[in-house]
């Protein structure tokens, strides 16, 4: 076994443990007890990163890392990074939409909460499909099952499109109840470009 690779793996594992400890501290210190969907899904994405570290350590010690590096790279790219980006976009897009639409009239008329721009129950289904698909695709790569991998990637693609639709709905204020949707002075934002 290559000593440099072993040391790099140990350093990566220690970094992951330190990162996890910091994240745990942030979650314990939070003011809001109930976690919003974007935070819960960020935790699921972080679980994918932990799985990469564990699997990487196992493959490294068994000498099979080279034959499984593609599966680990897929899980890093989709299970962790893409999952984390989608989870954060699910909070960022509604927040920026809220600022753009209701910021100018805040304090003068009743406005919805940021959470009112999304439907967490509906979006949860897409997140579950996304993460299940990315984990299944990783498993298919590990067992070298190309048709199963294609099906799992199709599930990931479908879930990503579903989450994209949720973000469009937030930009279109589709889930905001009618009395609060467009108070006097508020304007529906452009789909892709901010008015500000």
């Amino acid at each position: 076994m290559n000593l440099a690779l072993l040391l790099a793996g140990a350093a990566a594992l220690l970094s992951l443990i330190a990162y996890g400890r910091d994240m745990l501290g942030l979650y314990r210190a939070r003011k809001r007890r109930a976690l919003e969907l974007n935070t819960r899904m960020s935790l699921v994405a972080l679980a994918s990163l932990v799985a990469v570290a564990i699997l990487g350590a196992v493959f490294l010690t068994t000498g099979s890392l080279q034959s499984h590096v593609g599966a680990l790279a897929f899980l890093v790219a989709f299970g962790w990074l893409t999952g984390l980006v989608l989870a954060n976009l699910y909070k960022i897009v509604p927040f920026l939409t809220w600022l753009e639409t209701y910021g100018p009239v805040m304090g003068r008329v009743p406005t919805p909460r940021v959470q009112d721009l999304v439907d967490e129950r509906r979006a949860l289904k897409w997140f579950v499909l996304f993460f299940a698909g990315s984990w299944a695709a990783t498993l298919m790569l590990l067992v070298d099952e190309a048709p199963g991998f294609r099906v799992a990637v199709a599930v990931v693609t479908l879930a990503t499109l579903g989450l994209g639709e949720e973000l469009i709905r937030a930009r279109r204020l589709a889930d905001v109840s009618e009395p609060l949707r467009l108070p006097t002075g508020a304007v529906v934002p452009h789909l892709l470009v901010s008015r500000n």
Side-chain angles (χ1 to χ4, degrees):
M1 191 179 316
N2 187 333
L3 181 60
L5 190 58
L6 185 60
L7 290 174
L13 187 58
L14 289 174
S15 297
L16 183 63
I17 290 169
Y19 178 69
R21 193 175 129 244
D22 286 348
M23 293 306 295
L24 188 59
L26 288 172
Y27 285 116
R28 285 184 177 159
R30 73 187 187 282
K31 301 253 189 256
R32 224 180 259 171
R33 290 289 106 193
L35 294 177
E36 294 175 353
L37 181 61
N38 68 295
T39 305
R40 294 191 319 258
M41 294 305 103
S42 293
L43 289 173
V44 175
L46 288 173
S48 295
L49 182 60
V50 169
V52 167
I54 292 169
L55 287 172
V58 168
F59 296 148
L60 185 63
T61 57
T62 60
S64 60
L65 181 63
Q66 188 171 1
S67 61
H68 296 302
V69 74
L72 293 179
F74 184 89
L75 190 54
V76 165
F78 289 92
W80 176 48
L81 287 175
T82 306
L84 193 60
V85 167
L86 287 170
N88 284 302
L89 278 175
Y90 188 74
K91 181 66 174 187
I92 292 167
V93 169
F95 177 70
L96 292 177
T97 301
W98 186 92
L99 280 177
E100 182 180 352
T101 305
Y102 303 110
V105 298
M106 188 172 61
R108 289 183 261 156
V109 294
T111 60
R113 302 169 305 148
V114 173
Q115 298 94 312
D116 295 333
L117 274 67
V118 293
D119 183 340
E120 287 193 356
R121 173 180 270 157
R122 190 178 56 233
L124 176 62
K125 296 171 188 172
W126 294 120
F127 277 112
V128 167
L129 266 180
F130 176 84
F131 284 111
S134 63
W135 296 336
T138 300
L139 179 62
M140 294 299 106
L141 285 172
L142 289 173
V143 298
D144 199 22
E145 184 60 44
F149 174 75
R150 289 185 191 104
V151 169
V153 167
V155 169
V156 169
T157 303
L158 176 67
T160 304
L161 291 171
L163 288 167
E165 180 187 6
E166 294 298 320
L167 298 177
I168 290 170
R169 289 181 64 82
R171 287 296 288 169
R172 288 287 163 232
L173 310 172
D175 293 314
V176 180
S177 61
E178 194 50 49
L180 296 176
R181 186 168 188 262
L182 279 176
T184 304
V187 180
V188 175
H190 293 297
L191 184 59
L192 298 176
V193 180
S194 173
R195 291 184 189 276
N196 302 339

